[in-house]
Amino acid sequence: MSVVARYISRMFFVRLAVVLFAVVGFGLMFDLIENAESVLRAAGSRRWPVLDYSLLRLPVILAEMLPLVTLVAAI
């Protein structure tokens, strides 16, 4: 692999990571704002219901946002 190819690959993956972190963070935040009341109501005796909900929703939000984030990182 040439130096230029490594440079472009590294630049793409760094941008992908930064944009993915930001977009997924905003998506998770908006999802929590929308569903926080029902999550807390259904929590029962669990200690950290919002954290549990966030960890369970994270793969779904990540899968939804990954194509858009890849496009933005490539631009």
Side-chain angles (χ1 to χ4, degrees), residues 21-68:
F21 181 75
V23 170
V24 170
F26 277 119
L28 189 59
M29 181 181 63
F30 290 137
D31 187 53
L32 281 172
I33 289 171
E34 184 178 335
N35 297 320
E37 186 177 321
S38 61
V39 168
L40 292 175
R41 191 174 336 119
S45 64
R46 285 186 276 167
R47 186 172 175 128
W48 298 96
V50 174
L51 181 63
D52 291 341
Y53 178 77
S54 298
L55 290 176
L56 291 173
R57 275 296 281 170
L58 188 61
V60 175
I61 293 173
L62 186 69
E64 289 176 357
M65 299 294 177
L66 194 58
L68 174 70

Side-chain angles (χ1 to χ4, degrees), residues 12-28:
F12 171 74
F13 285 118
V14 167
R15 288 180 181 174
L16 180 73
V18 170
V19 174
L20 186 66
F21 181 75
V23 170
V24 170
F26 277 119
L28 189 59

